[in-house]
Each structure stands twice: as C-alpha cells, then as structure tokens.
Amino acid sequence: ASDLFEARFDERVTSELVGAGDAEGMLLALFGVGVAAARGACARALGATDLRELEEHGLLVEVPTWGAKEAHADAEPGSHSYGLPAGGDDGEVEAGGDDALLASLVQVFPLSLENPCADEGGDDRGRGAEARPGARCAATELLIATDWELESLLPAKWATMAVGEDSLALVHLAPLPAVGEDGAAPRVLDVCCGGGVQGLAAAARCPQACVTCLDINERAVRACRFNAVLNALDGRVRAAVSDGYSALPGRPGGQSEREAEHSERDTRALGGPPFDVILANPPFVAVPPPPAHAHECAEWAAYADGGPDGTRVLSALADGASGLLRDGGVLAIVSEYPNMERTHEWLSVAEDMDLAVFYDPAHTLEATEYAEARASERGWPWMSAEAHLASLEAHGVRTMGSGLAFARKVPERARAGSRTPRRAAFPLGGVDGEHGEQLSLLASSGARVRREWQAFAEGALW
C-alpha cells in the first residue's frame, strides 16, 4: 500500500506493482489508495468481466487525461506530467482505449474491531448470531465504502464522509450494551451516519443489536445501505434520509417532504425509540456561511458544516436525545466543540442526563489558529483567515477542540428528590515518547476513557 501511495500519480509504476491476475493488488490500488490505472492494466489484473461490472455499476469511471507523447516519454515520476499515459498526436488519450485512465469515485476503508458480544465459534457479523456474555472473539473485519476525503471527483457538498480519526475514536470507545433493557436485543441509533461506520460497527460487535441509521444526505444513506449488504449486516441495519431525528417513528412534526420522498418505505421499517445507545459524529466544523453567489463546489460538505460556531447540529442532537433513550441509555458524540474546556457546562443535554466530556488539551486550538487552519484547508477566496476569525469571535468562540461527550439518562429511581445533574470534564492525552508526536485521544488515552466513563456512569446510577 505504501508503494502504491507513492506511485499514485504514475500509472507506469502502478502497472509494475500490480501485475496480470493480481486482482487484490489492483482493488487495493483503486479503492484503498486512490490510484488511477489504465484500463488495460485493470483488465489484465481483474479480468474483463469483473472490470465491466465495476464500470457498469459506476464504481470505476474514466477520467480525462492529456499530454503529448514526448512529454510523457521524458517525464520522471513525480514530475508535472504526473506520469499520465501518452496521448495521440493531438495529446488526447483515446476514450475507451487501453490507455484511458480509470479511477474510483469511492474508497473502501478496512476496519478491524474486537467483538466482545459474539460467541467465539459463531457468526459474529451475520444475521441473528447469539451473544455469550464474557466471550472473547477474534477481530471482526468490516469494509466501509465512502467518498474520498479531499481528492474526490464529486462536488464536496453532498459527498459521504470518509472514515477519520474521530470516527475511529467513537467506534472503539463508545459504550455499547451486550443486551438491551430486560434482556432484549439492544437498540442502536446512528445519527449523521455517513457511510454507516458507527452503526455497522455496533451491529458487528453486538450480533443481537437492531440498528437504525439516519443522515440528511441521500448519497450517504445509499452508501450506508451498500455497506450493510457488503458486510452481511443488512438483516439488522436500516437506513433512511432524515434531518437529525425527524424521520424516526412518532417524532413530533414527522418527516419533511424530501425525507418522505426518498425514504417512505424505509422509515416504516426503522426501529424507533427508546434506544439503548445513540451514536453521533455530527457536522462540527465552525465555518462562516458562503456568499450567496458561491457554487456548491465551493461550499463545505454537508457532513462537515456545523455553522458559524460548529454547534448547529450538535446542540439539536444533544437536546433531543433524552426523549429517545431508555433509562440508563447513553448518548455518545465525537465532535469539535467551541470553548472545549467548558463543553460540559454549555452542552445542552436534558436535566435527567449526566454528562462526561473527554478531550486532549493539546488538540485544542485558539480561535486564531483554528481560523488559519480551516481557511487554508480549502483555499477558497471568500473565506480568508481574517473573515473566519471575525465570524468565530462574533459567536463567542475563543477555542475549538475535539473530544468525546458521553451522556447517560439517569434511571427514574435515581432521579428522586433534589438530585443535581452531574457534569464533568476529563482532560486526557499524551505524546509518543519515541517520536515526540502528539497522539490521538484513542491512541493515548483509550483505556483511560473506558475506565473513567465506567466509574462515572456507575456513580450516576446510585
């Protein structure tokens, strides 16, 4: 994979690394690394039949190339010609020919996770496997198809979010029950699901769980359904278009026209509340709105745009969670938060919920640093660092940081009297002692997050 990544702009080197009949290597190149490979090389590695099916299903598309033969012949790998195949006399590559480049619109992310819920000898991914308490299982392998993070051939606004470090932190650290209330199958809600990584991971780890996945983006919902089938989890995972919680059965106001148009049949099959767990990786990037004349290609992706202070979706999810959870149920969110060190004070969970926030102070940026980083990330002329900073300051944002927020609905028996909701912050983190690099929260403090949350949650019950 490392060699393929280094050679991703040079088709000649890719062809040397991926030989005839090496289907696994070519699939890794196309869907795992993002290499564009010549049709002829793809056919030799995958076979004509499989290649044709990939093209017919839109998973591989032909991309335009240009450049004279002489420029290509003299080019070195990494030069400005990017090693594109030689064109004809007019510099064009023949459409449909063996030299035409094929690229994937989607990437496939391999996800490995431990499955503490399934029987070691059983099917820990499929439909209806039985849980055995205390069983220890081999790692479950999932494949998650999403759009590419940056170098996508699609407009970013309605792309499906790639799996990132924040996604992985929630996948591995979110508290999941082995069984639901009164021994029933756990009910899990993945809201702002994207390609469904949270819901699918929950379904794989807990083979009795019934999972509902919601996203406002129709493309993301299609990706989630595809991934459920790809991983043999479609028997227990349902997905539908929804603005936040609105598509859930029994919600006040019901669905919007757009949601009803795209998901009327699917929402009838959705699992409704109460849920044992709500998982959320909402849009959280704090960005000023684009000018009225901006094209959708110059807007932040819907999965990222959290409004001027980053809380537009986050606050709505936190505020509405209690009414969807059973007693003892948990809301687990990974996000960026304005004024990170005070998140446990301002995040609007209900009074019947206790809240713990886990974060690494080293992952918190001053508003000036954050504005500079986000402005340069896309490079759009309408969003300078100065304009971004002015927007943050206007909305009271002094810092932005990433972290996990876990909130537990306190059982009714423990809410009697004048009990005060508990709110706590846990600053964690660490540095790689060998290389001096700042580690992710999962890498530096994953075990501590689990310990601290367990102790906090047990204290919240009594």
Side-chain angles (χ1 to χ4, degrees):
S2 176
D3 290 341
L4 285 169
F5 182 79
E6 293 298 325
R8 66 194 185 282
F9 293 126
D10 195 327
E11 190 277 329
R12 294 169 299 168
V13 179
T14 303
S15 296
E16 293 173 5
L17 292 171
V18 182
D22 185 4
E24 184 176 293
M26 183 58 76
L27 292 173
L28 173 63
L30 292 167
F31 295 100
V33 183
V35 167
R39 176 178 275 105
C42 291
R44 289 190 293 274
L46 301 172
T49 300
D50 287 348
L51 175 59
R52 183 169 58 253
E53 289 191 7
L54 288 170
E55 290 194 80
E56 288 175 352
H57 285 83
L59 294 174
L60 290 179
V61 298
E62 190 171 307
V63 293
T65 58
W66 58 91
K69 284 183 177 179
E70 294 78 12
H72 175 75
D74 296 332
E76 294 294 329
S79 69
H80 291 296
S81 74
Y82 296 111
L84 296 175
D89 293 337
D90 59 358
E92 294 294 330
V93 172
E94 179 185 358
D98 280 355
D99 281 341
L101 283 183
L102 297 178
S104 172
L105 291 176
V106 299
Q107 67 169 321
V108 178
F109 186 91
L111 176 64
S112 179
L113 60 144
E114 295 240 345
N115 185 345
C117 301
D119 191 330
E120 197 164 3
D123 175 8
D124 61 359
R125 299 194 323 179
R127 307 166 181 83
E130 296 296 325
R132 180 164 59 85
R136 187 163 174 234
C137 304
T140 296
E141 299 292 337
L142 298 180
L143 296 175
I144 307 296
T146 68
D147 289 314
W148 297 98
E149 184 175 7
L150 291 177
E151 297 175 331
S152 176
L153 300 178
L154 296 170
K157 183 171 183 179
W158 297 112
T160 301
M161 183 179 70
V163 178
E165 283 191 357
D166 52 344
S167 305
L168 296 176
L170 190 60
V171 162
H172 291 288
L173 297 178
L176 295 176
V179 295
E181 190 173 21
D182 299 325
R187 301 173 70 84
V188 178
L189 174 62
D190 178 6
V191 61
C192 304
C193 67
V197 60
Q198 303 301 331
L200 292 167
R205 288 174 59 191
C206 296
Q208 291 183 322
C210 298
V211 180
T212 296
C213 297
L214 304 176
D215 200 289
I216 196 171
N217 181 358
E218 182 187 357
R219 179 176 174 81
V221 170
R222 291 201 305 268
C224 182
R225 293 172 184 159
F226 172 84
N227 288 327
V229 173
L230 180 64
N231 292 283
L233 293 168
D234 51 303
R236 295 185 290 110
V237 176
R238 293 288 183 269
V241 175
S242 178
D243 185 356
Y245 301 128
S246 65
L248 290 173
R251 290 292 294 170
Q255 292 180 285
S256 67
E257 286 186 17
R258 179 172 179 271
E259 292 165 345
E261 175 186 354
H262 291 296
S263 59
E264 180 179 355
R265 179 191 63 191
D266 303 287
T267 52
R268 287 200 299 266
L270 289 178
F275 293 100
D276 296 279
V277 180
I278 299 175
L279 306 171
N281 183 359
F284 54 61
V285 180
V287 291
H293 62 272
H295 189 276
E296 69 172 4
C297 290
E299 294 184 48
W300 280 83
Y303 67 72
D305 186 355
D309 65 355
T311 68
R312 181 171 57 203
V313 181
L314 168 67
S315 292
L317 297 183
D319 185 60
S322 176
L324 300 175
L325 288 167
R326 67 167 177 83
D327 278 1
V330 174
L331 168 68
I333 301 176
V334 63
S335 182
E336 285 182 355
Y337 305 86
N339 307 321
M340 179 77 245
E341 65 282 0
R342 298 294 180 190
T343 299
H344 62 294
E345 298 175 358
W346 63 257
L347 190 61
S348 56
V349 294
E351 290 292 300
D352 61 359
M353 300 187 75
D354 286 336
L355 171 67
V357 177
F358 304 89
Y359 71 100
D360 184 344
H363 296 169
T364 300
L365 297 178
E366 297 293 329
T368 302
E369 300 174 286
Y370 186 84
E372 291 175 352
R374 289 302 189 185
S376 62
E377 185 175 327
R378 291 296 187 268
W380 292 320
W382 57 266
M383 195 181 74
S384 65
E386 292 76 14
H388 200 156
L389 178 60
S391 176
L392 293 174
E393 291 177 338
H395 290 83
V397 179
R398 300 182 307 277
T399 64
M400 287 292 295
S402 59
L404 294 161
F406 296 165
R408 183 165 188 156
K409 186 172 181 177
V410 180
E412 187 175 0
R413 67 180 185 276
R415 297 200 299 263
S418 58
R419 183 185 186 280
T420 301
R422 299 199 308 155
R423 307 285 187 261
F426 295 87
L428 307 170
V431 175
D432 184 332
E434 182 178 352
H435 301 98
E437 297 177 355
Q438 188 64 42
L439 298 172
S440 69
L441 188 64
L442 174 62
S444 68
S445 308
R448 187 176 171 192
V449 168
R450 295 186 185 97
R451 290 197 306 270
E452 297 282 11
W453 169 250
Q454 183 176 3
F456 181 86
E458 288 174 353
L461 287 175
W462 309 109

